[in-house]
Each structure stands twice: as C-alpha cells, then as structure tokens.
Amino acid sequence: MIRLTIPSIEDDDVMAVQEVLRSGYLVQGPRVAAFEQAIMAYLGMSHVIAVSNCTAALHLALLALDVRPGDLVLVATYSFVATANVIELCGAQPVFVDVRPDTFNMDPAQLAQTLERLMSNATTAQRVKAILPVHTFGQMADMPAILEIASRYGTPVIEDAACALGATCLGKQAGSWGTMGCFSFHPRKAITTGEGGLITTDSPVLARKLRALRNHGQDPEAKSPDFVLPGFNYRMTEFQAALGLTQMTKLDRIIAARRQGAAVYARLLHGTALQPPAQLPGYDPVYQSYVVLLPEAVAPRRAEIIAQLRVQGIETNIGTWHMPLTTYFRTRYGYRPGDFPVSDAIFARALTLPLYETLTPADQQKVVDLLLQQVH
Ligand SMILES: Cc1ncc(COP(=O)(O)O)c(C=O)c1O
C-alpha cells in the first residue's frame, strides 16, 4: 500500500523517547522548555508555549484574547473542524469567510467585505474579537493583505499554522505574522510528537497568560505557586518534547523532500485534467498535504475513485472540510450550498495524494498513472 503519509521516525527519535521514559520525569519540564527554545530559534519568535495539541493551542489563543460568549471571530471556511470548533467552545460565533480557488486560503477580498459589514454596525462591531486565517495544507494565506485589512480596525489575527511549520511568505515564517500562531505536531504534519501543539507570540503579556491557561491557571512568574485564573491541563509531556527535539533536527530535510515530491507531482500532472496546487511567487509552501482538484465532471465519482485506488494499493483522501456544511454548523446557523461557492467547488473536487519523505518518484508515477486511468 502506498500510504497517504508516513512520519519520519528514526532510531534517534525512538532512543530520545526511551531515555525520557527511563528517567521517570514524564510531564512538562526541561525538555518541553528546550523544545520551545528550538522552535523560538527556528521561527525567530520571542515566546513559544508548547501544549498538548493544536486544538488546545487555538482554544488558548482565543481565550488569551478574552474571546467570550456572544463574540464574533472571522474564520476561513475550508479547514479541519477544530479551527471553528474552538470558537464555539468559547461560546463565540464563527463568521465564515470563503477561500480563494487557487490556494484554498482565506480570500482577502471576502474578508474585507465581511469585516467592513460587521464594523459598520455598532452592535456587531463591538463583538468582533479576532480573525483566524488558516495556512491550508502548508501553503500560507495572504498574510500581507489579511494584516492590512485587520489593521484598519485593530483586529488581532491568529494564524492557524497547524500544517505550516517552515512555510514562508516573502521569506517570513508562518506563525510569525499574526498576534499569535498555532501549530500542530500530529503525525500527518512534517514533524510529529504524536499529539502536540504550540503557540507563538511576541507579546510577553499574552505569553504569560497562555502559560497560565495551559497549566491550571498557575502564574508562571509567581515566586510561590499561585493560581490567577481558571486554566486547563493542556501541557505537553517530556517524551513528546524529546521526540520534538530530535524531529526538529530533521525538519529542513523533510521539508526539502516534500518540496521535491511536490515538484515531481507537478511535472507528472502537467497537461492532464488534474489541477495541481498553485505555486505563487513569494510563497514557499511545505506541502503538508498535496491536494489536486479533479475535473468538475469527475467530482461526483470521487468516493468511488478513492475506493478503487485503495483496491489498487494507493491511499488517497478528500482534502479537508467545508466547515459551514458539516452537520453541526449547518444546523446551528442554517448554512446551505451556495453560501460559500468557492468552498462548495473545492470541497467536492479536492483529492489528497500520498506524500512523505521516503515516497519514491516511481511510487508517484504509479499514483498518477492509476489516478488518470480512473479520471478518464
Ligand atoms: C488546519 C488545522 N487546524 C487545527 C488542527 C488541529 O490540530 P490537532 O490535531 O493538533 O489538535 C488541524 C489538525 O489536523 C488542522 O489541520
């Protein structure tokens, strides 16, 4: 079976985890601090707060901005449901913004229109608390445009960079643009800690609050233990962080391999009916997922194509989720097909192809040959 993805776990990763397990010191400690330092150095950020997963990271980022019941958070439509779920879990309401057809990322024109509409009404204006763009599949959203629009109203921006460690726009790292950035280390990401996540920020005030929120509300700077707000246990373990540290030494190598694999797919798909992901000037994606668009006429057969390819030993999948049309958001807010036309089309046509560090060009040729047989 050519799998959709395989994490790059090697002997040094296994040994690092074993060493922690034998040490008997398992929860957040020096290795978590060292992992945070490694990410700080990589991204050039002043504060990194490791947590148990990216859903926790997003949840805490919203809480750190005091997102409360009744508030509004503008969020891209096309993402894993965690991105919008955390808004609901704060009691706030997501205001969905459709994406661009070429990058699958929040469309700045739609954002500007939606934000202007909300801000021109005094009641909704005071409820708007944040903008939450996603760097979908490891391709950065148009952060220069999004930040410019946000700055018109002083609205904070939280980057959902779950899939985008190492991705850049104009040479600047994902997670270093907004007020906060949230990352995932789930096994489908370039590097993994099993489950795992973190938040980046340059604000010492937010960093202190985030550290308290992840650890039962304990003030990280108090001389003797003190609990200053109601917090969670969203800590990362020492063995996750040990794995993160060895994985970090491979990050550049893994990203280079994924970019090479993406270039091979782009060559194989050139001139076919399949639309490869956009490669925009100034953007260096990390291809957390390699997602192509099937021709419109073929999209209704996507589930059958995925099943057929599986029988032929190739694992593929849909892209990600049209969040407003999932049962929860559809029934709660009454969204219908047509409300977000670009997401409607992408959600129907997207297909994720296998991509991981050790995937060979011969494997990729096989994936494309068999897929094209299904498409024609
Ligand atoms: C865009 C996006 N945001 C958030 C998450 C949630 O990450 P985690 O699984 O680490 O909680 C994911 C997970 O795949 C994701 O793809």
Side-chain angles (χ1 to χ4, degrees):
M1 174 71 80
I2 300 179
R3 300 277 309 278
L4 201 55
T5 190
I6 301 176
S8 299
I9 301 285
E10 294 159 320
D11 286 349
D12 59 333
D13 298 300
V14 175
M15 276 162 53
V17 173
Q18 267 186 9
E19 197 186 310
V20 177
L21 293 178
R22 290 185 201 289
S23 78
Y25 196 107
L26 304 188
V27 299
Q28 183 180 291
R31 286 174 187 83
V32 171
F35 182 49
E36 290 175 341
Q37 288 288 337
I39 301 278
M40 274 163 67
Y42 187 83
L43 296 179
M45 296 296 292
S46 351
H47 304 279
V48 166
I49 298 93
V51 290
S52 43
N53 53 63
C54 185
T55 309
L58 290 163
H59 191 194
L60 294 193
L62 292 173
L63 291 173
L65 291 178
D66 270 330
V67 172
R68 288 164 190 265
D71 287 342
L72 302 173
V73 176
L74 289 87
V75 62
T77 43
Y78 186 61
S79 184
F80 187 59
V81 290
T83 312
N85 280 348
V86 289
I87 300 169
E88 288 285 319
L89 290 168
C90 293
Q93 180 180 334
V95 179
F96 290 106
V97 177
D98 209 352
V99 294
R100 277 176 51 154
D102 53 352
T103 62
F104 316 146
N105 280 324
M106 182 182 271
D107 183 341
Q110 296 288 329
L111 172 67
Q113 219 176 65
T114 308
L115 193 57
E116 203 176 303
R117 175 172 56 78
L118 294 171
M119 291 302 189
S120 62
N121 172 317
T123 316
T124 49
Q126 61 179 10
R127 294 167 62 199
V128 172
K129 285 294 159 64
I131 300 169
L132 182 39
V134 182
H135 303 318
T136 310
F137 307 136
Q139 159 93 289
M140 278 191 66
D142 185 348
M143 289 308 291
I146 291 170
L147 287 185
E148 188 280 315
I149 295 161
S151 73
R152 294 177 201 168
Y153 305 97
T155 313
V157 175
I158 300 170
E159 296 171 69
D160 182 342
C163 304
L165 184 62
T168 59
C169 167
L170 305 174
K172 190 167 158 58
Q173 292 279 346
S176 72
W177 289 73
T179 306
M180 283 171 278
C182 299
F183 290 89
S184 173
F185 299 100
H186 179 273
R188 274 198 64 182
K189 314 308 180 206
I191 62 166
T192 185
T193 58
E195 299 282 2
L198 58 81
I199 309 151
T200 56
T201 184
D202 277 332
S203 158
V205 176
L206 287 174
R208 185 173 182 176
K209 193 165 175 191
L210 289 164
R211 288 183 193 285
L213 282 167
R214 82 167 163 186
N215 188 24
H216 304 288
Q218 185 171 342
D219 183 356
E221 291 168 31
K223 298 234 171 0
S224 57
D226 189 17
F227 298 88
V228 290
L229 44 80
F232 298 85
N233 178 355
Y234 278 171
R235 295 183 302 242
M236 180 178 267
T237 66
E238 282 289 272
F239 45 94
Q240 286 171 299
L243 180 54
L245 280 165
T246 48
Q247 288 274 292
M248 269 306 281
T249 64
K250 307 164 208 271
L251 178 62
D252 288 341
R253 187 193 83 194
I254 293 169
I255 290 174
R258 296 185 84 92
R259 286 181 177 150
Q260 216 170 343
V264 170
Y265 271 136
R267 188 167 45 73
L268 293 172
L269 294 168
H270 185 72
T272 72
L274 299 167
Q275 186 182 312
Q279 174 68 67
L280 301 183
Y283 288 78
D284 285 306
V286 291
Y287 300 100
Q288 177 269 337
S289 288
Y290 192 86
V291 178
V292 299
L293 293 183
L294 297 170
E296 256 170 67
V298 174
R301 288 199 287 113
R302 183 177 58 176
E304 188 192 318
I305 291 173
I306 292 173
Q308 281 297 326
L309 288 171
R310 180 173 281 278
V311 171
Q312 294 174 306
I314 292 167
E315 194 178 27
T316 55
N317 205 347
I318 67 164
T320 189
W321 294 93
H322 187 326
M323 296 188 294
L325 293 189
T326 56
T327 297
Y328 175 76
F329 291 105
R330 186 169 41 79
T331 47
R332 179 156 169 78
Y333 299 108
Y335 293 117
R336 295 205 192 97
D339 291 343
F340 303 99
V342 176
S343 294
D344 292 349
I346 291 170
F347 183 57
R349 295 174 58 197
L351 186 74
T352 310
L353 307 187
L355 185 61
Y356 46 91
E357 192 185 9
T358 52
L359 185 73
T360 65
D363 290 334
Q364 294 185 268
Q365 179 82 57
K366 188 174 166 194
V367 169
V368 172
D369 286 349
L370 291 174
L371 174 55
L372 286 174
Q373 281 175 22
Q374 299 287 334
V375 165
H376 291 304

